[in-house]
Amino acid sequence: MQILSDISELRTVLRTLRATDDRPTPRSVGFVPTMGALHDGHRSLVRAARQHCGIVVASIFVNPRQFAPHEDFSRYPRTLAEDCQMLEAEGVDVVFTPTAEAMYPPGAAAFVDVEEVSDRLDGASRPGHFRGVATVVAKLFHIVQPELAFFGQKDAAQVAVLRKMVRDLDFPLEIIVCPTVREPDGLAMSSRNRYLSTEERRQALSLSRALQAAQMQAASGEHRASALLQTMRATLQEGPSARVDYVAVVDPDTLLPLDDVASGALLAVASYVGSTRLIDNALLASTTGNTVVPGKKKS
Ligand code: AMP
Protein backbone atom coordinates (compact mmCIF):
# COMPACT_ATOMS: atom_id res chain seq x y z
CA MET A 1 0.00 0.00 0.00
CA GLN A 2 1.35 3.41 -0.94
CA ILE A 3 0.71 6.45 1.24
CA LEU A 4 0.96 9.65 -0.78
CA SER A 5 0.35 13.27 0.06
CA ASP A 6 1.45 14.90 -3.18
CA ILE A 7 -1.26 15.44 -5.81
CA SER A 8 0.91 14.98 -8.90
CA GLU A 9 2.65 11.94 -7.42
CA LEU A 10 -0.76 10.38 -6.74
CA ARG A 11 -1.80 11.01 -10.35
CA THR A 12 1.38 9.35 -11.65
CA VAL A 13 0.97 6.32 -9.37
CA LEU A 14 -2.69 5.88 -10.39
CA ARG A 15 -1.81 6.12 -14.09
CA THR A 16 0.76 3.36 -13.60
CA LEU A 17 -1.60 1.19 -11.52
CA ARG A 18 -4.35 1.49 -14.12
CA ALA A 19 -1.91 0.46 -16.84
CA THR A 20 -0.43 -2.51 -14.98
CA ASP A 21 -3.30 -3.82 -12.88
CA ASP A 22 -3.66 -7.48 -13.86
CA ARG A 23 -6.19 -8.68 -11.31
CA PRO A 24 -9.31 -10.46 -12.62
CA THR A 25 -11.68 -7.73 -11.41
CA PRO A 26 -12.12 -4.77 -13.78
CA ARG A 27 -9.46 -2.07 -13.70
CA SER A 28 -11.79 0.51 -12.30
CA VAL A 29 -10.77 2.79 -9.47
CA GLY A 30 -12.96 2.70 -6.35
CA PHE A 31 -12.59 5.70 -4.07
CA VAL A 32 -13.42 6.07 -0.37
CA PRO A 33 -13.04 9.64 0.91
CA THR A 34 -12.72 9.93 4.71
CA MET A 35 -11.58 12.28 7.44
CA GLY A 36 -9.74 9.44 9.22
CA ALA A 37 -10.27 8.19 12.81
CA LEU A 38 -11.48 5.11 11.01
CA HIS A 39 -14.01 2.61 12.37
CA ASP A 40 -16.04 -0.30 11.04
CA GLY A 41 -18.33 2.07 9.10
CA HIS A 42 -15.36 3.22 7.03
CA ARG A 43 -14.17 -0.39 6.81
CA SER A 44 -17.47 -1.39 5.20
CA LEU A 45 -16.99 1.24 2.47
CA VAL A 46 -13.46 0.00 1.79
CA ARG A 47 -14.69 -3.60 1.61
CA ALA A 48 -17.41 -2.62 -0.85
CA ALA A 49 -14.82 -0.80 -2.96
CA ARG A 50 -12.48 -3.81 -2.82
CA GLN A 51 -15.33 -6.05 -3.94
CA HIS A 52 -16.30 -3.88 -6.91
CA CYS A 53 -13.02 -2.39 -8.13
CA GLY A 54 -9.55 -3.48 -9.26
CA ILE A 55 -7.85 -0.51 -7.61
CA VAL A 56 -8.93 0.97 -4.27
CA VAL A 57 -7.97 4.47 -3.17
CA ALA A 58 -8.88 5.91 0.24
CA SER A 59 -8.27 9.50 1.26
CA ILE A 60 -7.75 10.84 4.76
CA PHE A 61 -8.20 14.59 4.95
CA VAL A 62 -9.78 16.63 7.73
CA ASN A 63 -11.19 19.31 5.49
CA PRO A 64 -10.97 22.72 7.19
CA ARG A 65 -13.51 24.23 4.77
CA GLN A 66 -16.40 22.14 6.06
CA PHE A 67 -15.98 23.24 9.69
CA ALA A 68 -17.30 26.53 11.02
CA PRO A 69 -14.87 28.49 13.25
CA HIS A 70 -16.67 27.35 16.45
CA GLU A 71 -16.73 23.67 15.43
CA ASP A 72 -14.34 20.81 16.28
CA PHE A 73 -11.76 21.07 13.46
CA SER A 74 -8.75 21.42 15.75
CA ARG A 75 -9.76 18.64 18.13
CA TYR A 76 -11.12 16.26 15.47
CA PRO A 77 -9.41 12.88 16.18
CA ARG A 78 -6.33 12.24 14.03
CA THR A 79 -5.09 8.63 14.12
CA LEU A 80 -3.13 8.28 10.90
CA ALA A 81 -0.89 5.34 11.89
CA GLU A 82 -3.80 3.12 13.03
CA ASP A 83 -5.90 4.22 10.05
CA CYS A 84 -3.18 3.17 7.61
CA GLN A 85 -2.80 -0.20 9.35
CA MET A 86 -6.50 -0.84 8.95
CA LEU A 87 -6.53 0.26 5.30
CA GLU A 88 -3.53 -1.92 4.48
CA ALA A 89 -5.18 -4.94 6.16
CA GLU A 90 -8.28 -4.30 4.00
CA GLY A 91 -6.23 -4.39 0.81
CA VAL A 92 -6.32 -0.71 -0.08
CA ASP A 93 -3.82 0.13 -2.84
CA VAL A 94 -3.26 3.82 -2.21
CA VAL A 95 -3.96 6.18 0.68
CA PHE A 96 -4.06 9.87 -0.20
CA THR A 97 -3.27 12.17 2.73
CA PRO A 98 -2.95 15.68 1.32
CA THR A 99 -2.08 18.72 3.42
CA ALA A 100 -4.51 21.62 3.67
CA GLU A 101 -1.91 23.78 1.88
CA ALA A 102 -1.82 21.37 -1.08
CA MET A 103 -5.61 21.25 -1.34
CA TYR A 104 -6.09 24.98 -0.82
CA PRO A 105 -3.03 26.93 -1.99
CA PRO A 106 -3.00 30.56 -0.89
CA GLY A 107 -5.67 32.47 -2.79
CA ALA A 108 -7.73 29.40 -3.75
CA ALA A 109 -11.12 30.96 -4.46
CA ALA A 110 -13.18 28.39 -6.39
CA PHE A 111 -16.07 26.63 -4.63
CA VAL A 112 -18.80 24.18 -5.56
CA ASP A 113 -22.26 25.24 -4.40
CA VAL A 114 -25.08 22.74 -4.73
CA GLU A 115 -27.88 25.20 -4.17
CA GLU A 116 -31.03 24.58 -2.10
CA VAL A 117 -30.36 20.98 -1.03
CA SER A 118 -27.19 22.23 0.73
CA ASP A 119 -29.33 24.46 2.97
CA ARG A 120 -31.45 21.63 4.36
CA LEU A 121 -30.98 19.33 7.41
CA ASP A 122 -27.30 19.57 8.43
CA GLY A 123 -26.89 22.37 5.91
CA ALA A 124 -29.46 24.44 7.80
CA SER A 125 -27.74 23.79 11.16
CA ARG A 126 -24.22 24.19 9.76
CA PRO A 127 -24.28 27.02 7.18
CA GLY A 128 -21.52 26.59 4.61
CA HIS A 129 -20.84 22.99 5.63
CA PHE A 130 -21.99 21.40 2.37
CA ARG A 131 -20.22 24.05 0.30
CA GLY A 132 -17.03 22.83 1.96
CA VAL A 133 -17.97 19.19 1.48
CA ALA A 134 -18.94 19.57 -2.20
CA THR A 135 -15.79 21.57 -2.93
CA VAL A 136 -13.40 19.06 -1.36
CA VAL A 137 -15.18 16.04 -2.85
CA ALA A 138 -15.19 17.65 -6.31
CA LYS A 139 -11.45 18.29 -5.98
CA LEU A 140 -10.82 14.73 -4.78
CA PHE A 141 -12.88 13.35 -7.69
CA HIS A 142 -10.78 15.38 -10.14
CA ILE A 143 -7.55 14.21 -8.54
CA VAL A 144 -8.41 10.49 -8.17
CA GLN A 145 -10.80 10.14 -11.17
CA PRO A 146 -12.62 7.10 -9.79
CA GLU A 147 -15.27 5.11 -11.64
CA LEU A 148 -17.04 4.37 -8.35
CA ALA A 149 -17.09 6.44 -5.14
CA PHE A 150 -18.33 4.98 -1.86
CA PHE A 151 -20.23 6.93 0.79
CA GLY A 152 -22.17 5.99 3.92
CA GLN A 153 -25.94 6.26 4.34
CA LYS A 154 -25.05 7.52 7.84
CA ASP A 155 -24.55 10.97 6.24
CA ALA A 156 -27.81 11.00 4.30
CA ALA A 157 -27.86 14.74 3.57
CA GLN A 158 -24.28 14.55 2.31
CA VAL A 159 -25.36 11.75 -0.04
CA ALA A 160 -28.19 13.92 -1.41
CA VAL A 161 -25.84 16.88 -1.98
CA LEU A 162 -23.11 14.81 -3.64
CA ARG A 163 -25.51 12.85 -5.87
CA LYS A 164 -26.90 16.16 -7.11
CA MET A 165 -23.41 17.55 -7.66
CA VAL A 166 -22.43 14.48 -9.69
CA ARG A 167 -25.63 14.70 -11.75
CA ASP A 168 -25.60 18.45 -12.32
CA LEU A 169 -21.88 18.70 -13.13
CA ASP A 170 -21.67 15.41 -15.10
CA PHE A 171 -18.92 13.79 -13.09
CA PRO A 172 -18.13 10.52 -14.94
CA LEU A 173 -18.60 8.27 -11.93
CA GLU A 174 -21.21 6.45 -9.90
CA ILE A 175 -21.87 7.02 -6.23
CA ILE A 176 -22.44 3.84 -4.21
CA VAL A 177 -24.15 4.28 -0.86
CA CYS A 178 -23.41 1.68 1.84
CA PRO A 179 -25.67 0.97 4.84
CA THR A 180 -25.00 2.56 8.23
CA VAL A 181 -22.82 0.34 10.42
CA ARG A 182 -23.94 0.30 14.06
CA GLU A 183 -22.60 -0.74 17.43
CA PRO A 184 -24.34 -3.87 18.82
CA ASP A 185 -26.71 -1.65 20.86
CA GLY A 186 -27.77 0.37 17.80
CA LEU A 187 -25.59 3.51 18.06
CA ALA A 188 -24.43 4.53 14.58
CA MET A 189 -20.64 4.37 14.41
CA SER A 190 -19.02 7.79 14.14
CA SER A 191 -15.54 9.19 14.65
CA ARG A 192 -17.20 11.68 17.02
CA ASN A 193 -18.40 8.89 19.36
CA ARG A 194 -14.88 9.10 20.85
CA TYR A 195 -15.86 12.43 22.41
CA LEU A 196 -18.62 10.85 24.53
CA SER A 197 -18.27 10.18 28.26
CA THR A 198 -19.70 6.90 29.58
CA GLU A 199 -22.94 8.63 30.55
CA GLU A 200 -23.18 10.49 27.23
CA ARG A 201 -22.51 7.23 25.36
CA ARG A 202 -25.59 5.79 27.10
CA GLN A 203 -27.68 8.86 26.26
CA ALA A 204 -26.52 8.77 22.64
CA LEU A 205 -28.72 5.71 22.14
CA SER A 206 -31.71 8.07 22.06
CA LEU A 207 -30.99 8.80 18.37
CA SER A 208 -31.26 5.23 17.12
CA ARG A 209 -34.13 4.56 19.53
CA ALA A 210 -36.06 7.55 18.15
CA LEU A 211 -35.66 6.22 14.63
CA GLN A 212 -36.62 2.68 15.65
CA ALA A 213 -39.74 3.93 17.41
CA ALA A 214 -40.84 5.87 14.31
CA GLN A 215 -40.01 2.93 12.04
CA MET A 216 -42.19 0.64 14.17
CA GLN A 217 -44.99 3.17 14.15
CA ALA A 218 -44.78 3.42 10.35
CA ALA A 219 -44.67 -0.37 10.05
CA SER A 220 -47.90 -0.59 12.02
CA GLY A 221 -49.63 1.68 9.52
CA GLU A 222 -48.96 5.29 10.60
CA HIS A 223 -48.39 7.36 7.43
CA ARG A 224 -48.58 10.88 8.87
CA ALA A 225 -45.17 12.51 9.12
CA SER A 226 -46.47 14.69 11.97
CA ALA A 227 -47.07 11.60 14.14
CA LEU A 228 -43.63 10.15 13.37
CA LEU A 229 -42.00 13.52 14.12
CA GLN A 230 -43.73 13.67 17.48
CA THR A 231 -42.55 10.16 18.38
CA MET A 232 -38.94 10.89 17.40
CA ARG A 233 -38.87 14.20 19.24
CA ALA A 234 -40.32 12.67 22.42
CA THR A 235 -37.72 9.83 22.41
CA LEU A 236 -34.86 12.24 21.74
CA GLN A 237 -35.86 14.52 24.59
CA GLU A 238 -35.82 11.71 27.17
CA GLY A 239 -32.10 12.15 27.94
CA PRO A 240 -31.36 14.87 30.57
CA SER A 241 -28.56 16.53 28.59
CA ALA A 242 -30.05 16.05 25.11
CA ARG A 243 -30.53 19.14 22.93
CA VAL A 244 -32.36 18.32 19.75
CA ASP A 245 -30.97 20.02 16.65
CA TYR A 246 -33.44 18.70 14.07
CA VAL A 247 -36.00 15.97 13.56
CA ALA A 248 -37.15 15.54 9.98
CA VAL A 249 -39.22 13.41 7.66
CA VAL A 250 -38.07 14.27 4.13
CA ASP A 251 -37.66 13.11 0.57
CA PRO A 252 -34.16 11.51 0.48
CA ASP A 253 -33.21 13.23 -2.81
CA THR A 254 -34.45 16.78 -2.25
CA LEU A 255 -34.45 16.73 1.57
CA LEU A 256 -37.78 18.59 1.42
CA PRO A 257 -40.32 17.79 4.17
CA LEU A 258 -42.99 15.20 3.47
CA ASP A 259 -46.48 15.16 5.00
CA ASP A 260 -47.09 11.50 4.26
CA VAL A 261 -44.58 8.64 4.22
CA ALA A 262 -46.62 6.10 2.25
CA SER A 263 -44.31 6.52 -0.77
CA GLY A 264 -41.14 6.17 1.30
CA ALA A 265 -39.18 8.73 3.29
CA LEU A 266 -35.96 9.57 5.03
CA LEU A 267 -36.27 9.89 8.80
CA ALA A 268 -33.39 12.02 10.05
CA VAL A 269 -32.32 13.25 13.47
CA ALA A 270 -29.52 15.39 14.86
CA SER A 271 -29.00 15.99 18.55
CA TYR A 272 -26.34 17.28 20.89
CA VAL A 273 -25.36 14.84 23.62
CA GLY A 274 -23.35 17.02 25.98
CA SER A 275 -21.37 19.15 23.53
CA THR A 276 -21.15 16.46 20.83
CA ARG A 277 -23.46 16.77 17.85
CA LEU A 278 -24.58 13.36 16.58
CA ILE A 279 -26.69 12.45 13.55
CA ASP A 280 -28.55 9.35 12.45
CA ASN A 281 -31.23 8.42 9.94
CA ALA A 282 -33.35 5.61 8.55
CA LEU A 283 -34.97 5.07 5.18
CA LEU A 284 -38.62 4.06 5.18
CA ALA A 285 -39.65 1.90 2.24
CA SER A 286 -42.77 2.66 0.29
CA THR A 287 -45.97 0.96 1.36
CA THR A 288 -47.62 1.82 -1.97
CA GLY A 289 -45.15 0.19 -4.35
CA ASN A 290 -43.70 3.63 -5.20
CA THR A 291 -40.37 3.13 -3.48
CA VAL A 292 -38.23 6.21 -2.86
CA VAL A 293 -34.64 5.07 -3.24
CA PRO A 294 -32.01 7.82 -3.20
CA GLY A 295 -30.56 8.37 -6.64
CA LYS A 296 -33.03 6.07 -8.38
CA LYS A 297 -36.03 7.30 -10.33
CA LYS A 298 -39.32 7.01 -8.49
CA SER A 299 -41.49 4.37 -10.17
P1 AMP B 1 -16.09 10.75 7.68
O1 AMP B 1 -14.71 10.21 7.92
O2 AMP B 1 -16.90 10.88 8.92
O3 AMP B 1 -16.08 11.95 6.79
O4 AMP B 1 -16.84 9.62 6.85
C1 AMP B 1 -16.30 9.11 5.67
C2 AMP B 1 -17.32 8.23 5.03
O5 AMP B 1 -17.67 7.17 5.91
C3 AMP B 1 -18.62 8.98 4.70
O6 AMP B 1 -19.10 8.53 3.43
C4 AMP B 1 -19.53 8.54 5.81
O7 AMP B 1 -20.90 8.56 5.47
C5 AMP B 1 -19.07 7.10 6.03
N1 AMP B 1 -19.47 6.63 7.35
C6 AMP B 1 -19.26 7.25 8.54
N2 AMP B 1 -19.83 6.55 9.55
C7 AMP B 1 -20.43 5.47 8.97
C8 AMP B 1 -21.19 4.37 9.47
N3 AMP B 1 -21.45 4.23 10.76
N4 AMP B 1 -21.63 3.44 8.59
C9 AMP B 1 -21.36 3.58 7.26
N5 AMP B 1 -20.64 4.58 6.73
C10 AMP B 1 -20.19 5.52 7.56
Side-chain angles (χ1 to χ4, degrees), residues 33-36 39 41-42 44-45 76 150-152 154-155 158 179-181 188-189 191:
T34 83
M35 297 205 300
H39 51 66
H42 300 108
S44 74
L45 305 186
Y76 196 84
F150 296 79
F151 292 89
K154 158 83 177 9
D155 295 277
Q158 171 170 280
T180 301
V181 176
M189 290 193 183
S191 305

Side-chain angles (χ1 to χ4, degrees), residues 1-4 9-23 25-30 50 53-58 91-96 144 147:
M1 185 177 83
Q2 303 195 55
I3 303 170
L4 304 169
E9 198 182 344
L10 178 84
R11 286 193 162 127
T12 307
V13 164
L14 285 178
R15 250 195 314 274
T16 311
L17 274 179
R18 277 184 189 273
T20 57
D21 180 21
D22 57 0
R23 279 173 281 207
T25 39
R27 291 177 190 187
S28 55
V29 170
R50 187 69 283 164
C53 302
I55 301 163
V56 177
V57 180
V92 166
D93 297 286
V94 180
V95 184
F96 181 46
V144 176
E147 275 77 18

Side-chain angles (χ1 to χ4, degrees), residues 46-255:
V46 169
R47 287 191 176 167
R50 187 69 283 164
Q51 207 180 335
H52 285 87
C53 302
I55 301 163
V56 177
V57 180
S59 64
I60 297 177
F61 179 58
V62 186
N63 173 32
R65 293 205 176 178
Q66 69 189 67
F67 290 79
H70 65 278
E71 292 182 339
D72 57 343
F73 173 72
S74 54
R75 74 172 183 129
Y76 196 84
R78 288 158 171 89
T79 58
L80 185 61
E82 290 103 302
D83 292 351
C84 287
Q85 268 176 17
M86 189 241 255
L87 296 174
E88 179 145 43
E90 294 298 333
V92 166
D93 297 286
V94 180
V95 184
F96 181 46
T97 58
T99 61
E101 294 70 32
M103 291 296 276
Y104 306 115
F111 287 88
V112 176
D113 266 319
V114 185
E115 293 188 347
E116 299 184 350
V117 72
S118 289
D119 298 329
R120 296 173 188 148
L121 298 190
D122 307 285
S125 313
R126 306 178 66 187
H129 171 66
F130 285 129
R131 187 188 205 220
V133 170
T135 301
V136 78
V137 172
K139 283 177 66 79
L140 291 167
F141 283 173
H142 285 308
I143 294 165
V144 176
Q145 301 191 2
E147 275 77 18
L148 299 181
F150 296 79
F151 292 89
Q153 176 60 32
K154 158 83 177 9
D155 295 277
Q158 171 170 280
V159 165
V161 169
L162 294 178
R163 279 195 192 281
K164 184 128 181 67
M165 177 185 86
V166 163
R167 234 177 356 247
D168 289 1
L169 298 181
D170 298 302
F171 278 87
L173 58 88
E174 192 184 338
I175 286 186
I176 308 286
V177 181
C178 301
T180 301
V181 176
R182 298 178 179 281
E183 300 287 355
D185 62 5
L187 178 69
M189 290 193 183
S190 163
S191 305
R192 290 189 169 95
N193 291 349
R194 294 166 192 244
Y195 298 152
L196 303 172
S197 68
T198 310
E199 176 54 22
E200 288 169 345
R201 168 68 183 75
R202 202 184 57 73
Q203 287 177 22
L205 281 179
S206 63
L207 282 88
S208 54
R209 288 201 180 126
L211 294 166
Q212 276 165 11
Q215 280 175 296
M216 279 169 56
Q217 205 179 2
S220 59
E222 179 58 81
H223 289 174
R224 291 168 305 153
S226 57
L228 304 182
L229 286 166
Q230 205 173 15
T231 298
M232 289 192 283
R233 197 170 281 282
T235 313
L236 278 175
Q237 281 166 343
E238 275 166 16
S241 73
R243 184 159 58 88
V244 178
D245 178 3
Y246 67 71
V247 177
V249 176
V250 296
D251 177 289
D253 288 329
T254 63
L255 306 183

